Amino acid sequence: MKVIVYGASGMVGQGVLRECLAATDVEEVLSIGRSPLGQAHPKLRELVQPDLYDYSETAARLAGYDACFFCLGVSAAGLDEAAYTRITHDLTLAAAEALAPRNPQMVFTYVSGTGTDSSERGGVMWARVKGRTENDLLKLPFKAAYMFRPGAIRALDGIRSKTPAYRWAYLFVGPLLAPLQRLFPTRIVTTREMGLAMLEVARHGADRRIIEPPDIHALARTGVTSAP
């Protein structure tokens, strides 16, 4: 497979990138972002895209891919609905709408979140915006699209969030996630499981489009055994 990763410097994106580079059936990984990752690997290619809303000058580089793992995201804290919509919905759809016509056999996976509001009418702003984003992605002419809704995410393999507020939060909460995962195994997922599960839906699909934490666990387990 040839795959695209958005947000490869973020916590989830790092986990997905790690699994993609390790997978024997992934021959190329294209990281798309505003700045270079600062790492090298024989499979890794980079497209530095300062404007993630406009692909008019780089469209030729977007064709010929089997999967896209979209791991970009920001917290809604301090943002009004218009600003959060611009960063969350509009940016994601700009990328997806550039990819869909050039990759009709592509599987597109989007990192959303537990509590996302598919009705788009609920009282929680971020959940409405995420719901609209999911719904609009599912309308695009990809081979398939999957909306991943993790809850708490436990970082493994030395992965750290690049967001200062999240790094501070994980400094205190992180040590609790391992024992909590043993107590509530379906509520918490790891960065490793996110990568394995995304690769599994790219390879073999899934029986539902909305992927919740128990589905992520199951897909990750299957991904370990089904990988070439």
Side-chain angles (χ1 to χ4, degrees):
M1 293 188 294
K2 295 174 65 176
V3 306
I4 293 172
V5 179
Y6 275 84
S9 64
M11 190 175 73
V12 174
Q14 289 177 61
V16 174
L17 177 63
R18 182 180 184 276
E19 298 305 323
C20 288
L21 294 176
T24 58
D25 61 336
V26 175
E27 63 176 271
E28 180 183 319
V29 181
L30 177 65
S31 170
I32 300 180
R34 291 191 178 97
S35 57
L37 287 178
Q39 69 181 88
H41 189 281
K43 295 182 184 180
L44 182 61
R45 308 287 182 269
E46 293 195 61
L47 174 58
V48 177
Q49 178 83 21
D51 185 353
L52 291 174
Y53 297 89
D54 182 5
Y55 294 87
S56 57
E57 295 184 5
T58 54
R61 293 193 59 184
L62 302 179
Y65 288 88
D66 303 292
C68 176
F69 305 123
F70 199 93
C71 307
L72 277 177
V74 298
S75 167
L79 298 175
D80 61 20
E81 187 159 353
Y84 187 67
T85 297
R86 171 73 174 159
I87 297 170
T88 299
H89 174 275
D90 298 353
L91 186 149
T92 306
L93 266 293
E97 288 171 350
L99 290 169
R102 296 172 176 86
N103 303 278
Q105 294 302 304
M106 173 176 277
V107 174
F108 190 97
T109 64
Y110 172 64
V111 179
S112 187
T114 295
T116 292
D117 176 15
S118 297
S119 76
E120 307 179 34
R121 295 190 298 271
V124 180
M125 181 272 283
W126 74 262
R128 288 196 307 272
V129 175
K130 287 278 193 180
R132 180 184 167 198
T133 306
E134 288 186 353
N135 292 338
D136 287 348
L137 288 171
L138 290 168
K139 297 172 187 174
L140 293 177
F142 291 111
K143 176 183 177 181
Y146 298 96
M147 310 296 113
F148 275 63
R149 293 184 178 182
I153 300 175
R154 179 181 162 216
L156 300 180
D157 307 307
I159 290 170
R160 299 174 64 204
S161 172
K162 69 175 183 177
T163 304
Y166 288 174
R167 283 204 302 270
W168 278 104
Y170 271 89
L171 185 65
F172 296 101
V173 176
L176 301 175
L177 290 179
L180 284 173
Q181 190 172 25
R182 288 191 290 271
L183 290 172
F184 306 101
T186 63
R187 303 286 184 86
I188 299 170
V189 302
T190 68
T191 49
R192 194 181 300 161
E193 287 171 324
M194 287 290 289
L196 289 168
M198 286 191 168
L199 279 168
E200 179 60 16
V201 299
R203 291 181 183 117
H204 302 121
D207 59 3
R208 63 189 69 189
R209 294 292 185 250
I210 305 297
I211 309 296
E212 303 281 1
D215 307 311
I216 295 171
H217 287 293
L219 287 163
R221 287 194 298 271
T222 305
V224 170
T225 58
S226 71

